[in-house]
Amino acid sequence: MKTAAALHILVKTEAEAKALKDKIEKGADFATLAKKHSMCPSKKQGGDLGEFRKGAMVKPFDQAVFTKDSDEKSVIGPVKTRFGYHLIRVLYTN
């Protein structure tokens, strides 16, 4: 079974997610922004979701994590789910 580890930031609007993504791309620290802006309880850990299995997250989030080729520097999103808009940094998939 495939597994992954990721950080994420969950916000209410696509515009907010895009603004945060722009800040990250300009050098802002992902974990710091997660702690300040995310609505998810994982914000206390800088958005760290730990390791999870394929199928454990809501479908759009799961698809974004397991179908994208990414490195630790790239940010996926905004990804819309029923919870809001996510920015995702995949740490690894295996």
Side-chain angles (χ1 to χ4, degrees), residues 3 9 11-12 14-16 27 43 50 52 56-57 77 90-91:
T3 59
I9 299 171
V11 294
K12 287 184 181 182
E14 185 176 16
E16 188 177 1
K43 74 181 188 176
F52 51 91
M57 300 294 182
V90 178
L91 302 177

Side-chain angles (χ1 to χ4, degrees), residues 1 3-4 17 21 23 27 30 33 39-40 43 47 50 55 58-60 65 69-70 75 77 82-83 86 89 92 94:
M1 168 121 335
T3 59
K21 185 174 184 177
K23 288 181 181 184
F30 192 100
L33 291 177
M39 301 183 311
C40 181
K43 74 181 188 176
V58 291
K59 193 169 184 173
V65 169
D69 271 342
S70 63
V75 176
R82 68 178 184 259
F83 301 107
H86 304 260
R89 175 166 285 162
Y92 65 83
N94 55 25

Side-chain angles (χ1 to χ4, degrees), residues 30-48:
F30 192 100
T32 300
L33 291 177
K35 286 178 183 178
K36 186 173 181 181
H37 297 281
S38 186
M39 301 183 311
C40 181
S42 69
K43 74 181 188 176
K44 293 176 184 173
Q45 294 83 28
D48 191 347

